[in-house]
Amino acid sequence: MASTPLSLLSLLLLLSFSLICAKPPTLHLHLTTDPTTTTTTDTLPTTFFEVTKPIKLPNTKPCSTHILQHDFAYTYGSPPVSTPYSPPSTSNCPSNTFSRIVLQWSATCKGRQFDRIFGVWLGGVELLRSCTAEPRATGIQWTVKKDITRYYSLLMTNQTLDVYLGNIVDTTYTGVYHVNLSFHFYPNKLSENGLNLGTLDNKWADLIIPISRNMPMNDGLWFEIENSTDVEVKEFRVPQNVYRAVLEVYVSFHENDEFWPTNVVNEYVLDNNLTGYPGNGPFREVVVSLDGGVIGAVWPFTVVYTGGVNPLLWRPITGIGSFDLPTYDIEITPFLGSILNGKTHEFGFSVTNALNVWYIDANLHVWLDEKSEKTTGKLLTQNISPLHVSLVSNYTGLNGTFVTKATRSIKSTGWVQSSHGKIVTETTQKFNYTNIMVMAENADSQIVNQIIEFNDSVYAKIPSSVVSKESLKTFSFYIHSDTEDKGNGSYAELADITLGFNEKKIGNSGSKSFTSVLENVQNGQGSMFVKGNLVVSGLGSTQQMYKYGDDEFCYFRDVSSSNYTIIYDKEGHTCSKSEKSGFSFVIGKHWPFPARDRHAI
Ligand SMILES: *[C@@H]1O[C@H](CO)[C@@H](O)[C@H](O)[C@H]1NC(C)=O
Ligand SMILES: *[C@@H]1O[C@H](CO)[C@@H](O)[C@H](O)[C@H]1NC(C)=O
Ligand SMILES: *[C@@H]1O[C@H](CO)[C@@H](O)[C@H](O)[C@H]1NC(C)=O
Ligand SMILES: *[C@@H]1O[C@H](CO)[C@@H](O)[C@H](O)[C@H]1NC(C)=O
Ligand SMILES: *[C@@H]1O[C@H](CO)[C@@H](O)[C@H](O)[C@H]1NC(C)=O
Ligand SMILES: *[C@@H]1O[C@H](CO)[C@@H](O)[C@H](O)[C@H]1NC(C)=O
Ligand SMILES: *[C@@H]1O[C@H](CO)[C@@H](O)[C@H](O)[C@H]1NC(C)=O
Ligand SMILES: *[C@@H]1O[C@H](CO)[C@@H](O)[C@H](O)[C@H]1NC(C)=O
Ligand SMILES: *[C@@H]1O[C@H](CO)[C@@H](O)[C@H](O)[C@H]1NC(C)=O
Ligand SMILES: *[C@@H]1O[C@H](CO)[C@@H](O)[C@H](O)[C@H]1NC(C)=O
């Protein structure tokens, strides 16, 4: 089991230690700004936001439930905030079936505070993993809306809702997070048939089983993975009439692994006597096992939180995924044969090369055969290519180049016999990873260019037809940072960053087909002067291009900000056919990187 929740405390210690410690290689930290020295003439709170497509809603009036109002002051190490939850009742809502359900998190904060990770769980099932925005002296506000319709069956039952947001308030870090949480239930329109809106899943899961830590606790319900050998397990049991199952995995990385793509290899740490410096190289893999055997993996998108690299980059446009962290689905159906016996089984989570700490939990979505009490199944084949990681390093002292590459594929086939007939399901995950890291200027300069390809597919052979789903993802991460030690525990840093989240989804079911394309890229340029762990001056500029298209819907947004101000913001709902089918991978900057002068700020 996970041990004591010392994450944030040790983070603060680590921060003060790192910054007074020997001349460090470029180190990207959680930082916050000093409102006393970044005074502005603004008086209204700034609205922060993450760029994402609007949730497609039916043209019906929602039944809204205010779930929680809470002020998160000194909440670190306290139990989650809990409240009873009941679905809308006939007395407050004219409908009892809904085509969309939306979670809305609205918050304000004022003063100085770090970015804090938080989670929202319903009956132990995680609904949202998110990061708070960092406040400023004049105050901020932000809203996160998430489509939670896939948790439909759970949302129709009485449950306990828990929110854990571990915040620390003292005379320096004064920001209290004031939060409202609401759910909006959009009734079905008569013309709409059931719950199916543009996906191939013909309905949502009948039951969602939490694969998280059991209450009570003084922490989040996530498991904490502290090192590369740590395996956190959870026992569970499924009903005996399941015919399909999907494990939805939530992942976030913190402290020594918050910027894992920039972590250096251990030989470099040892050769340069950099004790305590985040190592284990830049490759990470989340491994999911069932009763001890590997069933799937997650090579996660590199979310940068709102205090990451340079906090001024994320004001007001926040980093991709930081307000609504991506989750990853692993199809479990081929393995159902081994868990339909009514006994308890065990999911396990580990992270290859992990340093303290990863927060991981999952939700098991299961579909039940309403026409039988027992289904049967069998795993037919499983091919797991061993993880292959290669490293080519060439360094002298603190200067050098490191190229890390990895590939992996996992393919599983199995059948399930239910009243739907005998369904044979084949699932494949294919991964490819490249990270090129350059350390120069005795490690005051670091350049990292990383690309992850993460392809998933599911083919299900039903007696009458074939259903297939594919998701092709490319996650890119680029950073160039130059640091200059200014003595007395202060430094100046310039950092350029590019984050890319691209995903193409293709589905086929009999005569129906579905395609969607997302290209989401952010570029940021930041400069800052840091004293202790406070940014005392600086500038952040960010540009983002978001393009989404599917068979029914199109959305783009081209937005830019600098020094808290939106420079331009173009939004649209039309796109050409070529834009819909185009799927070009945007890769930071290309090798070789241009030489660059360092400036003092
Ligand atoms: C940022 O904007 C503030 C006003 O809000 C201004 O005082 C400051 O000079 C600007 N900083 C830069 C680097 O442009
Ligand atoms: C929360 O809701 C209450 C009641 O509607 C409102 O007074 C308060 O300002 C809201 N707070 C936030 C942070 O949205
Ligand atoms: C759910 O909770 C509501 C409100 O507390 C209560 O009226 C109702 O009876 C509960 N339903 C069930 C099935 O327990
Ligand atoms: C890894 O973490 C686990 C869980 O905290 C702990 O029991 C184990 O001793 C750690 N192993 C190493 C090598 O530090
Ligand atoms: C690292 O420490 C060892 C032992 O103290 C010393 O011999 C060596 O020169 C040091 N190396 C560097 C690069 O400082
Ligand atoms: C290692 O780096 C040095 C200095 O940049 C270069 O001269 C040398 O050719 C490199 N060696 C290899 C094997 O790439
Ligand atoms: C993922 O799919 C794309 C598109 O088919 C392909 O170009 C790429 O090579 C695939 N990557 C892996 C790791 O399979
Ligand atoms: C992985 O990506 C690299 C670099 O883009 C490419 O050369 C290689 O062929 C890819 N491998 C696979 C298995 O897709
Ligand atoms: C590292 O590179 C810098 C200039 O980029 C140079 O001044 C320094 O001597 C180099 N260090 C080593 C150990 O080669
Ligand atoms: C460090 O701070 C002390 C006291 O504030 C000051 O006298 C000294 O000049 C500073 N040193 C540098 C390198 O800034």
Side-chain angles (χ1 to χ4, degrees), residues 56-58 99-100 192 194-199 201 204 514 552:
K56 216 179 142 215
L57 297 171
S99 54
R100 278 292 145 203
E192 277 169 357
L195 306 168
N196 183 10
L197 281 181
T199 72
D201 296 310
W204 310 111
F514 175 81
E552 309 167 336

Side-chain angles (χ1 to χ4, degrees), residues 46 57 173 211 262 375 427 431 447 497 601:
T46 314
L57 297 171
Y173 301 104
I211 310 295
T262 67
T375 52
T427 71
F431 302 95
I447 298 170
I497 186 167
I601 294 165

Side-chain angles (χ1 to χ4, degrees), residues 133-327:
E134 288 193 349
R136 57 192 307 208
T138 49
I140 61 156
Q141 59 190 27
W142 82 99
T143 294
V144 182
K145 286 185 180 172
K146 180 175 177 181
D147 182 351
I148 54 167
T149 320
R150 73 181 298 193
Y151 307 103
Y152 196 93
S153 56
L154 179 74
L155 288 159
M156 293 302 121
T157 58
N158 284 354
Q159 296 288 348
T160 299
L161 183 126
D162 294 297
V163 179
Y164 183 78
L165 188 166
N167 193 22
I168 294 176
V169 173
D170 59 20
T171 50
T172 311
Y173 301 104
T174 52
V176 172
Y177 288 106
H178 306 282
V179 173
N180 280 322
L181 181 67
S182 303
F183 292 169
H184 306 294
F185 297 81
Y186 290 83
N188 277 347
K189 269 202 303 199
L190 287 173
S191 59
E192 277 169 357
N193 183 16
L195 306 168
N196 183 10
L197 281 181
T199 72
L200 281 171
D201 296 310
N202 50 11
K203 65 183 188 79
W204 310 111
D206 298 298
L207 178 68
I208 305 166
I209 300 170
I211 310 295
S212 59
R213 289 201 290 161
N214 296 327
M215 292 289 287
M217 66 183 63
N218 297 325
D219 200 351
L221 280 71
W222 42 56
F223 294 100
E224 298 187 11
I225 310 287
E226 301 182 343
N227 57 50
S228 58
T229 55
D230 193 356
V231 183
E232 297 294 325
V233 298
K234 172 75 185 235
E235 288 194 337
F236 70 97
R237 195 198 297 259
V238 296
Q240 288 186 268
N241 61 338
V242 176
Y243 70 91
R244 185 180 172 212
V246 170
L247 189 72
E248 178 194 22
V249 184
Y250 277 80
V251 170
S252 61
F253 25 82
H254 307 280
E255 296 181 46
N256 286 328
D257 263 356
E258 180 174 343
F259 304 102
W260 52 269
T262 67
N263 279 22
V264 293
V265 299
N266 290 341
E267 297 87 315
Y268 177 89
V269 172
L270 287 173
D271 288 352
N272 290 296
N273 293 343
L274 299 169
T275 333
Y277 194 74
N280 281 7
F283 175 75
R284 298 292 181 274
E285 172 184 58
V286 177
V287 179
V288 180
S289 60
L290 175 61
D291 296 330
V294 173
I295 54 163
V298 174
W299 292 20
F301 174 68
T302 46
V303 176
V304 175
Y305 307 121
T306 56
V309 180
N310 177 338
L312 301 171
L313 292 169
W314 316 119
R315 303 176 177 203
I317 305 173
T318 196
I320 295 173
S322 59
F323 282 175
D324 181 6
L325 272 78
T327 66

Side-chain angles (χ1 to χ4, degrees), residues 39-42 136 538-539 563:
T39 48
T40 73
T41 49
D42 301 352
R136 57 192 307 208
L539 178 64
N563 193 20

